[in-house]
Amino acid sequence: MAQQRTFSIIKPDATRRNLTGAINAKIEASGLRIIAQKRIHMTEDQAGSFYAVHKERPFYGELVEFMTSGPVVVQVLEGEDAVAAYRGVMGATNPADADEGTIRKEFAESIEANSVHGSDSLENAEIEIKHFFTEDEIVG
Ligand code: ATP
Ligand code: MG
């Protein structure tokens, strides 16, 4: 497997509980490197377009409200097979289904307030990274 980059968000439920460092520790313990990071407050437009694939789902409005309810930390992670590796570190969408030791098992509050986002494909990772970072902000 090759070196890849993936996109991560530490969500508002986690920043509110001061868990940025604890989540970063899990990311780094897995061998992934945080090669870009910034704390932002997403606008409704940003959150709405980021989750546009879920526009028809019943939870879309609440999801946008949640993602704009406080600061988030957007990140670029780099490492071996990073897209799948980070999905593994995150755990299942619903923390009730997440494996022991994963970020969501340990920290998520609910299926919505589940502490982190990670890209679901290499193609989406590239799109999402470009959306939030310029090349000179990414230092590998
Ligand atoms: P993410 O895209 O944030 O990494 P994911 O890929 O595990 O999460 P998706 O199916 O893409 O899961 O859902 C995107 C986000 O929408 C979830 O992380 C969660 O915050 C929210 N969500 C998903 N399903 C539900 C649901 N049934 N009810 C409420 N919120 C949900
Ligand atoms: Mg997803």
Side-chain angles (χ1 to χ4, degrees):
M1 266 296 163
Q3 289 287 306
Q4 291 179 348
R5 288 176 177 185
T6 193
F7 177 71
S8 161
I9 304 177
I10 300 178
K11 296 184 180 182
D13 67 287
T15 61
R16 178 167 40 77
R17 288 175 290 148
N18 217 17
L19 292 172
T20 300
I23 289 172
N24 280 349
K26 277 201 173 287
I27 291 170
E28 293 186 334
S30 78
L32 291 165
R33 306 184 75 83
I34 302 164
I35 60 168
Q37 173 169 262
K38 61 188 168 191
R39 184 169 160 110
I40 61 169
H41 198 135
M42 279 196 188
T43 63
E44 226 175 280
D45 276 1
Q46 270 179 317
S49 61
F50 185 75
Y51 278 125
V53 290
H54 297 306
K55 211 180 300 185
E56 306 308 325
R57 310 277 286 276
F59 57 81
Y60 177 71
E62 275 187 18
L63 179 59
V64 171
E65 196 178 317
F66 164 61
M67 290 300 289
T68 58
S69 67
V72 301
V73 178
V74 291
Q75 306 176 308
V76 181
L77 310 182
E78 187 173 73
E80 194 74 10
D81 200 15
V83 172
Y86 188 46
R87 297 289 294 191
V89 174
M90 289 161 57
T93 308
N94 185 347
D97 302 329
D99 290 338
E100 286 301 328
T102 61
I103 292 170
R104 283 168 167 170
K105 177 72 175 184
E106 203 156 314
F107 300 122
E109 293 183 316
S110 67
I111 191 169
E112 177 184 77
N114 59 6
S115 301
V116 282
H117 159 81
S119 306
D120 58 12
S121 68
L122 194 54
E123 189 191 2
N124 282 338
E126 281 172 16
I127 294 167
E128 292 170 2
I129 289 167
K130 277 210 181 86
H131 202 81
F132 288 95
F133 291 97
T134 58
E135 249 330 295
D136 65 318
E137 290 176 315
I138 303 170
V139 184

